[in-house]
């Protein structure tokens, strides 16, 4: 049966389609109902506030979680709580990819398709937050985004 992977804040489903094409059993969540409808054409997708993602799935259900530019829309305390939920949703030794903005200003940003909150992180602080949420860091890439690859700690 393929690797069970959830794609958090999946948007219209681009990454879901890629995971499915690679043989993963992909699942998506997003807060935007339009994106949920689009993403559902690629893989099962649920309308879900990321801050409550732990309520939607049983513990240790996933082998991996892909959270590309999703927790960037959360304030720092919510980010820690969501990362802790990710740790609970991953099987032991499960893998996490998560990235956040490392440049710019924290606050509301008006974009062509709406207004969004962004939290900008210092790389070391974000890496520490991931560790404190129950992960061992595998790799931290610094640039305009802080990209973290991590493994659920036992």
């Amino acid at each position: 049966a393929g690797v069970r992977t959830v794609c958090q804040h999946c948007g219209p489903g681009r990454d879901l389609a890629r995971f499915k094409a690679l043989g993963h059993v992909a699942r998506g969540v997003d807060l935007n109902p339009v994106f949920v409808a689009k993403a559902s054409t690629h893989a099962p997708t649920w309308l879900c506030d990321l801050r409550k993602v732990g309520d939607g799935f049983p513990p240790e259900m996933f082998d991996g979680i892909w959270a590309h530019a999703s927790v960037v829309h959360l304030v720092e305390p919510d980010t820690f709580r969501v990362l802790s939920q990710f740790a609970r949703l991953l099987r032991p030794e499960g893998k996490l990819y998560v990235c956040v903005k490392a440049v710019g200003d924290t606050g509301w940003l008006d974009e062509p398709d709406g207004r969004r909150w962004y939290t900008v992180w210092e790389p070391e602080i974000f890496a520490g937050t991931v560790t404190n949420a129950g992960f061992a860091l595998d790799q931290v890439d610094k640039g305009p985004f802080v990209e973290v690859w991590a493994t659920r700690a036992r």
Side-chain angles (χ1 to χ4, degrees), residues 40-109:
S40 292
T41 65
H42 302 291
T45 305
W46 288 265
L47 182 65
C48 177
D49 184 325
L50 197 55
R51 293 168 292 191
K52 297 179 182 178
V53 70
D55 297 339
F57 302 98
E60 299 184 2
M61 179 174 176
F62 297 105
D63 299 305
I65 292 178
W66 180 261
H68 185 268
S70 55
V71 299
V72 71
H73 300 297
L74 301 174
V75 296
E76 289 185 25
D78 286 344
T79 301
F80 173 76
R81 285 190 286 276
V82 168
L83 291 169
S84 297
Q85 289 178 61
F86 288 172
R88 188 181 66 78
L89 292 173
L90 283 169
R91 66 170 174 73
E93 303 298 317
K95 298 296 184 178
L96 170 71
Y97 169 81
V98 60
C99 71
V100 294
K101 287 180 74 163
V103 297
D105 296 318
T106 293
W108 292 101
L109 182 62

Side-chain angles (χ1 to χ4, degrees), residues 12 14 17 19-20 27 34-35 39 45 48 58 69-70 73 80 84 86 90 97 114 121 125 130 132 137 139 143 153:
R14 179 197 69 203
F19 279 113
K20 186 176 176 184
R27 301 291 180 259
V34 174
F35 285 166
T45 305
C48 177
S70 55
H73 300 297
F80 173 76
S84 297
F86 288 172
L90 283 169
Y97 169 81
W121 290 81
I125 293 172
V130 173
N132 290 336
L137 300 178
Q139 182 176 329

